[in-house]
Amino acid sequence: MSDDNKNLGDDLNDMLDDAKDGAKKASDNISKKAKEFSDEAKETANEFTQGAKEAFDKTGGDNKKILAGILGIIFGCFGVHKFILGYSKEGGIMLGVTLIGIVLSCIGVGVFVVWIMSIIGLIEGIIYLTKSDADFYNTYQVGKKPWF
């Protein structure tokens, strides 16, 4: 019976060695596939970045009309559209007035302050989107007209 146990032990050792070899091959294959995927992802990201740069250059590079207009309509009370256009002082004023309005909203007066700031942002967003690209660029980015 000890020969049977010895043969069984040898068979188990052979199976264990085969399992280790299989796991090693699988690990190597997975590492290879992960490396290929990583390289392809980097290549795709570089292509996307290059395409975005080309699209940005075709639009004149600095025209932020659509972004500023949409942000003015959606988040106008916070002055986000002002920060996008580089008007930090005006954006800070709108943000500060809105935050004060939010704090004062428990009294009731603040609701009107936030509402007024929202209306200003909405109007500015609509104005930005209705201007031609050249007119917007000359007025708000070259001419630096901060309000309306």
Side-chain angles (χ1 to χ4, degrees):
M1 209 148 103
S2 76
D3 285 337
D4 288 338
N5 286 338
K6 186 176 181 187
N7 288 338
L8 183 60
D10 289 341
D11 288 342
L12 289 175
N13 283 335
D14 289 341
M15 288 173 60
L16 183 60
D17 289 340
D18 289 344
K20 287 180 181 177
D21 289 340
K24 175 81 170 133
K25 288 178 185 177
S27 172
D28 291 341
N29 191 21
I30 289 172
S31 295
K32 181 181 170 187
K33 294 290 184 184
K35 175 79 170 125
E36 289 173 5
F37 179 77
S38 173
D39 292 341
E40 289 176 11
K42 286 178 185 175
E43 183 179 331
T44 302
N46 288 336
E47 290 173 0
F48 177 78
T49 303
Q50 188 64 26
K53 285 180 183 176
E54 289 174 8
F56 187 70
D57 290 340
K58 286 180 184 176
T59 61
D62 288 335
N63 199 341
K64 302 171 184 172
K65 173 182 143 178
I66 294 175
L67 179 62
I70 291 172
L71 289 175
I73 290 171
I74 297 173
F75 299 113
C77 65
F78 298 109
V80 176
H81 58 292
K82 297 290 189 185
F83 289 110
I84 293 295
L85 293 174
Y87 303 128
S88 299
K89 183 175 113 181
E90 291 81 3
I93 290 169
M94 288 186 78
L95 179 62
V97 169
T98 299
L99 292 177
I100 290 170
I102 290 171
V103 169
L104 293 177
S105 65
C106 36
I107 303 173
V109 176
V111 174
F112 295 110
V113 173
V114 174
W115 184 76
I116 290 170
M117 288 291 110
S118 297
I119 295 298
I120 290 172
L122 176 70
I123 291 170
E124 286 183 334
I126 292 171
I127 289 171
Y128 294 166
L129 292 175
T130 56
K131 285 190 175 283
S132 69
D133 288 344
D135 193 26
F136 174 85
Y137 183 76
N138 290 329
T139 303
Y140 296 106
Q141 291 181 266
V142 174
K144 295 289 185 185
K145 181 180 176 187
W147 298 101
F148 296 103

